[in-house]
């Protein structure tokens, strides 16, 4: 039902320039897209809002490129995924910070050296960027492997491998942190 509704709204946008139809899509997808970014940005609400806004602006500007070969949500998450990586690349190019992997290793080391309570954000920080995105799309956004494959333009086998490695890393992290009760 959601897919039919999305397709109808997209048709109204493309054919009639119907802003109200686009607003309906934004209202429905705004919370999941913000939650996706909130998890990717380690809880940075302002950045999450900015990236979500950028995603919807790009969606509005490129709505005519949407092909109903996939669901609208898959197309929108692909834009969100690209927006996050564009931001990460520009941040990396603008300043000479260490790579995300090195930062993740430091967070992992700090958190295991200090005996602190582990939260979901800290556990995700030990993962490589692709593993984190896939874990979030699969577990937090409840997307299928096929949808994630389309969003990230990776083969399904690669998605499954990243899920397996991500789960193993988090399980090992929890075990090392004393959460294996």
């Amino acid at each position: 039902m959601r897919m039919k509704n999305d397709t109808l709204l997209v048709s109204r946008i493309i054919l009639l320039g119907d802003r109200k139809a686009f607003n309906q899509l934004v209202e429905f997808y705004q919370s999941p897209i913000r939650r996706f970014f909130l998890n990717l940005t380690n809880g940075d609400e302002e950045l999450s809002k900015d990236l979500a806004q950028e995603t919807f602006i790009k969606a509005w500007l490129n709505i005519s490129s949407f092909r109903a070969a996939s669901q609208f949500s898959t197309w929108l998450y692909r834009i969100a995924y690209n927006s996050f990586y564009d931001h990460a690349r520009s941040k990396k190019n603008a300043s000479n910070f260490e790579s995300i992997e090195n930062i993740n290793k430091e967070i992992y080391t700090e958190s295991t050296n200090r005996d602190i309570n582990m939260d979901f954000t800290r556990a995700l920080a030990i993962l490589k960027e692709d593993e984190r995105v896939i874990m979030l799309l699969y577990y937090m956004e409840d997307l299928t492997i096929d949808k994630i494959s389309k969003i990230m333009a990776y083969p399904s086998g690669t998605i499954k491998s990243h899920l397996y490695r991500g789960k193993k890393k988090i399980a090992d992290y929890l075990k090392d942190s004393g959460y294996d009760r």
Side-chain angles (χ1 to χ4, degrees):
M1 183 68 183
R2 180 77 233 167
M3 188 172 145
K4 285 183 181 181
N5 191 37
D6 288 352
T7 305
L8 177 63
L9 291 171
V10 169
S11 298
R12 287 177 40 201
I13 296 164
I14 294 172
L15 297 173
L16 306 171
D18 188 344
R19 290 178 187 257
K20 288 182 181 178
F22 187 74
N23 286 341
Q24 289 178 15
L25 289 171
V26 171
E27 286 177 24
F28 185 79
Y29 288 105
Q30 188 172 37
S31 290
I33 293 292
R34 280 188 182 170
R35 181 179 55 241
F36 174 62
F37 284 131
L38 195 61
N39 286 308
L40 282 176
T41 62
N42 295 323
D44 187 334
E45 287 186 44
E46 288 304 312
L47 180 56
S48 298
K49 287 178 185 177
D50 290 345
L51 289 171
Q53 183 176 14
E54 181 180 324
T55 297
F56 287 110
I57 289 170
K58 286 179 180 179
W60 171 256
L61 294 173
N62 297 295
I63 194 82
S64 62
S65 71
F66 173 71
R67 302 288 175 252
S70 64
Q71 292 182 2
F72 177 77
S73 61
T74 303
W75 183 77
L76 186 63
Y77 274 102
R78 178 72 186 168
I79 293 171
Y81 171 75
N82 288 336
S83 293
F84 175 74
Y85 275 100
D86 289 346
H87 168 76
R89 273 192 299 267
S90 69
K91 184 177 177 183
K92 188 175 181 179
N93 290 338
S95 59
N96 291 324
F97 286 124
E98 297 176 87
S99 73
I100 290 173
E101 283 185 40
N102 288 340
I103 292 169
N104 288 342
K105 286 177 188 172
E106 286 177 25
I107 290 171
Y108 177 75
T109 303
E110 284 177 24
S111 65
T112 55
N113 288 343
R114 289 187 260 143
D115 194 18
I116 61 172
N117 289 332
M118 195 272 323
D119 64 0
F120 186 64
T121 302
R122 191 168 297 278
L124 286 173
I126 67 171
L127 303 177
K128 291 181 181 177
E129 244 358 91
D130 286 346
E131 292 168 343
R132 183 181 323 166
V133 170
I134 291 167
M135 295 283 285
L136 289 171
L137 288 172
Y138 189 77
Y139 290 107
M140 297 295 290
E141 303 306 324
D142 203 27
L143 298 180
T144 65
I145 289 174
D146 287 339
K147 279 188 180 181
I148 298 168
S149 177
K150 289 176 184 174
I151 290 168
M152 297 186 71
Y154 287 168
S156 295
T158 303
I159 301 299
K160 290 176 186 176
S161 295
H162 282 306
L163 275 172
Y164 175 80
R165 280 193 302 269
K167 287 191 288 190
K168 179 152 178 34
K169 285 180 184 179
I170 288 177
D172 290 346
Y173 174 83
L174 292 172
K175 186 177 178 186
D176 291 346
S177 298
Y179 290 95
D180 60 343
R181 298 173 205 166

